[in-house]
Amino acid sequence: MKKVAIIVQTKEGQLSDSSKSLLSYVSSFSPETILLLAIGDVKFSSVPSSKSVDVITLSDGLWTDSSSIEPLTKILEGFTVFGIKSIQVDNLLSLLAASSTQEMISGIQQFTYSGGKYVINKSIFSGKASLSLTTESAAFFSLNRNFDFSNTPDYAEQFIGSISTVNAAIGSHASIIALKPITGAIPLPDAALVVGAGRGLKDPSNWTIVEDLAKALGAATACSKPVSDLNWRPHHEHVGQTGVKISPNLYIACGISGAIQHLAGVNGSRIIVVINNDPEAPFFKHADYGIVGDVNDILPRLTKKLQSH
């Protein structure tokens, strides 16, 4: 693995924590060349790495098909490319893989590299099972958001070598109709902690107890499909088979029965805590921890406990 490119995301111009972890992790393989592909504004002047790092910022052009991706494909010839799973990252990796002769592997839970071979453990069937495989042909890797970086060595910060911009090629077959930015402190696909709720809250006015708990934890909020269908919460918070798929370190499900469609969106979570007043709720069978009780009583008590520490 001589040449490595990493798709990183930024927040207010700085590398996100998950991007820093990925950079340090990939640096531990001692590649000769490290290239960052930055999504978002770049204001940082140094990165946690043992080597000099060059940065390419991706323009706001449309990275939607083989023609739009062509300039980036040429630059990345001979590179192994890593990213942490998100809609944006997986879309970019899949386009790059489709434009090359090498495969993309997503949903990676564990990853080792030795002797030119990649040994991978990945989630399959919406997180219901895992698959172990060895490959030499893959060059594009999407790591689950709850990938374990705990044993990654720390690296002293080094100044980056250069910053440049790559624009999407003219002639893309897609166009932007409207941009509707998602508001909120923590984007749901990027969150390490998520508090989700369903119709067990009984009324949309009760949602403040979910937001209070999420704020105390530093977590993002999510909801089940029935809740978004009722317009209690915006659609971008809908987690499930037809919504956002998440893989946080902790997912707290409040008043959600655990229909298979919802489970398909949260099975990648490292730890699942279920709070429900129905002891027969199917979600308890998939939970690491369960609390039987009324969410309208338990959530405020949990929040108060967290705020007192």
Side-chain angles (χ1 to χ4, degrees), residues 235-284:
H235 180 71
H236 68 255
E237 289 192 1
H238 161 211
V239 169
Q241 190 171 29
T242 57
V244 179
K245 293 178 176 58
I246 59 173
S247 51
N249 292 325
L250 172 66
Y251 177 57
I252 303 177
C254 310
I256 300 176
S257 63
I260 191 169
Q261 292 86 351
H262 186 76
L263 290 171
V266 305
N267 271 332
S269 305
R270 183 174 295 173
I271 296 175
I272 296 177
V273 176
V274 171
I275 304 172
N276 201 298
N277 61 3
D278 178 7
E280 301 300 321
F283 217 152
F284 282 119

Side-chain angles (χ1 to χ4, degrees), residues 51 56 61 86 89-90 148 157 170 205 210 232 252 255 272 308:
K51 299 179 182 295
I56 289 179
S86 72
V89 168
D90 279 10
D148 186 6
E157 290 197 351
I170 298 174
S205 62
V210 177
W232 287 11
I252 303 177
I272 296 177
S308 65

Side-chain angles (χ1 to χ4, degrees), residues 8 18 27 43 57 65 67-68 72 92 98 125 164 170 197 212-213 220 234 261 267 276 285 302:
V8 296
S18 59
S27 296
K43 297 178 182 177
T57 59
D65 52 33
S67 63
S68 69
L72 195 54
L92 186 56
F125 301 126
S164 57
I170 298 174
D212 289 344
L213 178 59
Q261 292 86 351
N267 271 332
N276 201 298
K285 297 178 182 178
L302 283 175

Side-chain angles (χ1 to χ4, degrees), residues 6-22:
I6 306 169
I7 302 174
V8 296
Q9 295 183 307
T10 63
K11 185 176 182 180
E12 297 179 352
Q14 302 299 313
L15 283 175
S16 66
D17 289 341
S18 59
S19 291
K20 288 181 181 179
S21 296
L22 177 58

Side-chain angles (χ1 to χ4, degrees), residues 3 30 41 47 58 74 90 101 108 135 143 156 190 199 212-213 224 232 253 285 299:
K3 299 164 67 177
S30 300
D41 295 334
V47 293
L58 302 181
K74 291 180 179 178
D90 279 10
T101 58
I108 297 173
T135 180
L143 279 57
D190 300 333
R199 284 184 296 183
D212 289 344
L213 178 59
S224 62
W232 287 11
K285 297 178 182 178
L299 264 60

Side-chain angles (χ1 to χ4, degrees), residues 1-273:
M1 198 187 303
K2 294 183 177 180
K3 299 164 67 177
V4 169
I6 306 169
I7 302 174
V8 296
Q9 295 183 307
T10 63
K11 185 176 182 180
E12 297 179 352
Q14 302 299 313
L15 283 175
S16 66
D17 289 341
S18 59
S19 291
K20 288 181 181 179
S21 296
L22 177 58
L23 176 55
S24 293
Y25 176 74
V26 172
S27 296
S28 68
F29 298 132
S30 300
E32 295 176 3
T33 303
I34 299 176
L35 176 65
L36 301 188
L37 307 175
I39 298 175
D41 295 334
V42 172
K43 297 178 182 177
F44 54 87
S45 60
S46 61
V47 293
S49 173
S50 61
K51 299 179 182 295
S52 176
V53 175
D54 292 324
V55 179
I56 289 179
T57 59
L58 302 181
S59 72
D60 291 331
L62 297 170
W63 307 93
T64 56
D65 52 33
S66 57
S67 63
S68 69
I69 208 72
E70 184 178 352
L72 195 54
T73 303
K74 291 180 179 178
I75 291 172
L76 294 177
E77 188 173 345
F79 276 81
T80 302
V81 186
F82 291 86
I84 295 179
K85 186 176 181 62
S86 72
I87 294 173
Q88 207 171 17
V89 168
D90 279 10
N91 179 60
L92 186 56
L93 283 172
S94 61
L95 282 171
L96 289 167
S99 300
S100 71
T101 58
Q102 294 170 297
E103 70 175 305
M104 169 190 168
I105 299 177
S106 62
I108 297 173
Q109 298 168 311
Q110 296 176 329
F111 179 99
T112 57
Y113 172 74
S114 179
K117 294 183 179 180
Y118 307 104
V119 180
I120 294 165
N121 182 279
K122 61 164 289 180
S123 60
I124 56 175
F125 301 126
S126 298
K128 296 182 179 65
S130 295
L131 171 69
S132 295
L133 58 94
T134 300
T135 180
E136 298 179 56
S137 61
F140 304 95
F141 301 101
S142 173
L143 279 57
N144 268 355
R145 295 214 58 82
N146 61 9
F147 189 91
D148 186 6
F149 291 112
S150 59
N151 294 322
T152 301
D154 293 327
Y155 287 84
E157 290 197 351
Q158 300 287 330
F159 285 100
I160 58 177
S162 63
I163 296 179
S164 57
T165 300
V166 173
N167 296 302
I170 298 174
S172 171
H173 300 299
S175 61
I176 295 175
I177 297 174
L179 293 176
K180 297 181 179 179
I182 295 174
T183 59
I186 305 173
L188 185 55
D190 300 333
L193 307 173
V194 177
V195 179
R199 284 184 296 183
L201 263 73
K202 301 177 183 177
D203 190 273
S205 62
N206 293 329
W207 209 268
T208 54
I209 63 173
V210 177
E211 294 172 328
D212 289 344
L213 178 59
K215 185 177 180 180
L217 285 168
T221 57
C223 69
S224 62
K225 187 176 187 296
V227 166
S228 64
D229 287 346
L230 289 167
N231 292 320
W232 287 11
R233 298 299 293 174
H235 180 71
H236 68 255
E237 289 192 1
H238 161 211
V239 169
Q241 190 171 29
T242 57
V244 179
K245 293 178 176 58
I246 59 173
S247 51
N249 292 325
L250 172 66
Y251 177 57
I252 303 177
C254 310
I256 300 176
S257 63
I260 191 169
Q261 292 86 351
H262 186 76
L263 290 171
V266 305
N267 271 332
S269 305
R270 183 174 295 173
I271 296 175
I272 296 177
V273 176

